[in-house]
Amino acid sequence: MTRLAIPVVAAACLFAATAAQAQGRPMMYQPSPYVGADALFWQLDPEGRGGDFDSTGLRLRAGVAFNDYFALEGHLGTGGSDGPVDLDYLAGGYAKGMLPVTPQLRIFGLLGATEVELDGDDDESDLSYGGGASYAVMPNLSVDADYMRYLEEARFDFDAVSVGATYHF
């Protein structure tokens, strides 16, 4: 019990000292909106049925970065057909945790919820997660790549890899 209490107390003290120091300084970061467009390479993996379905669509993204480490982001995607399966749309909202590796390179993780409609059937929604990287090629323009698990249902999984660009205002 004592071995566990010492790290917990030390972490709490460090957090309290950081929070107290931050209260004395004005906020230096203004929320920063951004928009992006990506090629969406999606895959539908039906459980218990033979074969995967995959195709390419388009995804639009928009978000607001509140600081260097946190943003809220929305996705809207459509397009692509693999024989009997069409992606009508996907729409979702996510919390985005970011980690600046260098001044140009950031890695990030996404966690949120997505609604997907395939073939005009009823839409499905689920918890979604993913991760990726962003590289700033100019101060207001970055190239991005990510992987998302949009749906993990009993009947199927819906994943996508996306590559695109983002403009930061």
Side-chain angles (χ1 to χ4, degrees), residues 2-167:
T2 305
R3 280 192 267 169
L4 179 63
I6 292 171
V8 170
V9 170
C13 290
L14 180 62
F15 176 75
T18 305
Q21 183 181 16
Q23 288 178 357
R25 285 188 261 158
M27 186 173 137
M28 301 303 288
Y29 194 90
Q30 294 294 322
S32 173
Y34 59 90
V35 294
D38 306 302
L40 177 76
F41 304 98
W42 59 265
Q43 179 180 25
L44 176 69
D45 182 16
E47 299 293 327
R49 293 191 285 176
D52 293 342
F53 301 100
D54 54 24
S55 190
T56 303
L58 174 67
R59 179 180 75 176
L60 302 175
R61 292 177 291 112
V64 175
F66 294 98
N67 56 39
D68 287 337
Y69 305 100
F70 180 75
L72 293 177
E73 183 170 292
H75 294 183
L76 183 60
T78 189
S81 174
D82 185 2
V85 178
D86 295 323
L87 172 61
D88 293 334
Y89 73 87
L90 70 84
Y94 314 95
K96 183 177 186 178
M98 302 172 289
L99 181 62
V101 177
T102 69
Q104 292 82 23
L105 179 66
R106 293 174 186 267
I107 57 173
F108 58 85
L110 296 157
L111 179 65
T114 305
E115 181 175 292
V116 175
E117 183 175 301
L118 299 163
D119 291 330
D121 290 339
D122 290 337
D123 52 0
E124 299 282 342
S125 58
D126 198 10
L127 179 70
S128 304
Y129 57 90
S134 177
Y135 186 80
V137 293
M138 291 192 287
N140 287 4
L141 184 66
S142 63
V143 292
D144 314 288
D146 65 55
Y147 162 81
M148 289 291 296
R149 167 65 55 104
Y150 284 114
L151 294 176
E152 192 168 347
E153 296 288 322
R155 298 180 303 136
F156 60 84
D157 294 336
F158 186 79
D159 303 312
V161 172
S162 300
V163 177
T166 303
Y167 181 80

